[in-house]
Amino acid sequence: MKKNFLIPILLGATAALSLSACNDDISENPLQQEQQTDNLKIDQPNALEKVCYYVDQYWSSNSVLTTSLQNSADTSFMNSQMTKIASLWGRSNPTLRFVNDPSNFNSTYNAISYSTGKIYYGYAIYYDAKNKGGDIVNAMILAHEYGHQLQYIFGLPSVSESTARPNELEADGFAGYYLRRPNGYNQTSFAQIAAAYEFAQSIGDYQTTSSGHHGTPPQRRSAVRLGFLLGQYDLTASAFDYNFFYYYQGVLNGAYKMGKNTQYPEIDAYMSQYMDELRKIQSGEISGEEFKELK
Ligand SMILES: [Zn+2]
């Protein structure tokens, strides 16, 4: 098992140094051909060599790329989820592939969203997630990874920090949104997605100064909740981004904006009912058990 259960985004590299570092690192990897097609669409300020190295570390040199999981039911579940997630945002499917390492199963404990329109999903994280919380956990991880595709496509997130945190928390938010939408995973109560956000929380980290920081566990939990609440509305990716970051400070430190969200007054009226709750999630005043009972 890896030291951190992170789900990193392969950030589009801007510097030639970063690019060559990625390519060098992966040169003995069967994924090399895929990597060479990299044609980065947007610049991501957080592109650091470390991120590339980190990804390379997870897809070991013995990894193989495949179109299927261990059985056809799992494969069709994931492919159908991929279609549902992409079509929710009015998009055609990205390329979804699975990664297996027969010699070291746990080395594939990862899922990666590439700026070239591909999502690579490790066998190990798939089966661990399924064992821990069932299908919904993998639906959420896939929706999180697709959230990164939306970021590549639309030049999001609109907020940048010195770490990957805004990218990652927004991706958690996109996932919470997907789980709620009627034309998404269609879960009407928050308790129904408990397994999913518990998993998201479990992979939060406290490496707050690391470039790969994904947000602390309470922040990730709050981000999923915020995305779920925004799932009350049919939003474009950019509108989701606007609203997510309008309330983002509350996810980070419980300081929700009290001013009016004049661009989306209806959403603001709805969200105002949840300000105190969101603050308490972040501060820990709402316990893990109480959190599961939220509507
Ligand atoms: Zn991510």
Side-chain angles (χ1 to χ4, degrees):
M1 205 61 76
K2 295 294 175 187
K3 50 188 182 297
N4 289 308
F5 300 164
L6 304 177
I7 307 172
I9 168 180
L10 179 65
L11 295 166
T14 53
L17 182 63
S18 302
L19 279 171
S20 65
C22 291
N23 291 337
D24 289 345
D25 284 345
I26 210 156
S27 60
E28 290 175 11
N29 195 295
L31 309 185
Q32 183 184 24
Q33 281 192 324
E34 295 283 338
Q35 280 296 309
Q36 284 173 339
T37 63
D38 263 6
N39 176 21
L40 305 172
K41 283 179 188 164
I42 60 165
D43 295 338
Q44 293 270 4
N46 297 326
L48 301 172
E49 288 173 77
K50 258 187 201 168
V51 175
C52 300
Y53 173 72
Y54 181 68
V55 168
D56 187 56
Q57 198 176 33
Y58 275 104
W59 304 139
S60 68
S61 57
N62 293 319
S63 293
V64 289
L65 201 57
T66 166
T67 55
S68 56
L69 285 159
Q70 285 176 352
N71 64 65
S72 58
D74 291 334
T75 308
S76 36
F77 171 75
M78 287 298 274
N79 285 330
S80 66
Q81 284 300 303
M82 189 74 274
T83 300
K84 222 170 193 182
I85 294 164
S87 58
L88 177 71
W89 300 102
R91 311 290 306 181
S92 54
N93 283 21
T95 301
L96 174 63
R97 294 287 180 268
F98 305 101
V99 184
N100 186 23
D101 180 350
S103 64
N104 182 8
F105 186 79
N106 285 335
S107 79
T108 62
Y109 203 100
N110 205 359
I112 302 170
S113 200
Y114 296 83
S115 61
T116 47
K118 290 176 286 212
I119 294 173
Y120 289 173
Y121 208 103
Y123 270 37
I125 200 167
Y126 177 85
Y127 287 103
D128 185 58
K130 186 175 179 177
N131 290 337
K132 279 182 178 157
D135 285 340
I136 193 172
V137 185
N138 281 305
M140 180 180 174
I141 295 170
L142 191 59
H144 170 110
E145 295 305 325
Y146 191 73
H148 292 314
Q149 292 297 313
L150 293 172
Q151 291 169 344
Y152 291 131
I153 294 165
F154 295 105
L156 306 175
S158 58
V159 166
S160 71
E161 296 173 2
S162 62
T163 74
R165 184 173 68 177
N167 304 56
E168 297 303 330
L169 292 182
E170 184 179 54
D172 284 344
F174 277 129
Y177 178 88
Y178 169 73
L179 292 182
R180 181 172 189 176
R181 290 299 301 159
N183 54 340
Y185 208 75
N186 193 25
Q187 302 295 286
T188 51
S189 92
F190 196 59
Q192 289 175 296
I193 72 163
Y197 64 70
E198 284 300 310
F199 190 86
Q201 184 193 9
S202 77
I203 58 178
D205 68 86
Y206 286 97
Q207 296 165 336
T208 55
T209 57
S210 158
S211 62
H213 178 49
H214 279 49
T216 65
Q219 288 169 356
R220 296 197 74 165
R221 201 161 69 160
S222 300
V224 175
R225 177 64 172 170
L226 179 54
F228 183 85
L229 292 172
L230 291 173
Q232 173 79 2
Y233 297 91
D234 186 6
L235 301 171
T236 64
S238 294
F240 179 91
D241 176 90
Y242 178 90
N243 285 287
F244 184 86
F245 286 106
Y246 190 86
Y247 303 106
Y248 182 65
Q249 289 305 316
V251 167
L252 298 184
N253 53 31
Y256 278 85
K257 281 186 185 169
M258 297 310 289
K260 281 278 172 235
N261 179 355
T262 49
Q263 201 166 330
Y264 296 89
E266 191 188 343
I267 292 179
D268 206 43
Y270 173 74
M271 290 299 297
S272 66
Q273 305 169 66
Y274 294 96
M275 291 301 146
D276 194 47
E277 175 209 289
L278 288 163
R279 181 183 63 76
K280 288 177 178 172
I281 293 169
Q282 204 287 330
S283 68
E285 287 173 68
I286 289 181
S287 71
E289 283 309 305
E290 289 169 319
F291 189 69
K292 288 176 189 171
E293 301 305 317
L294 295 176
K295 300 298 181 204

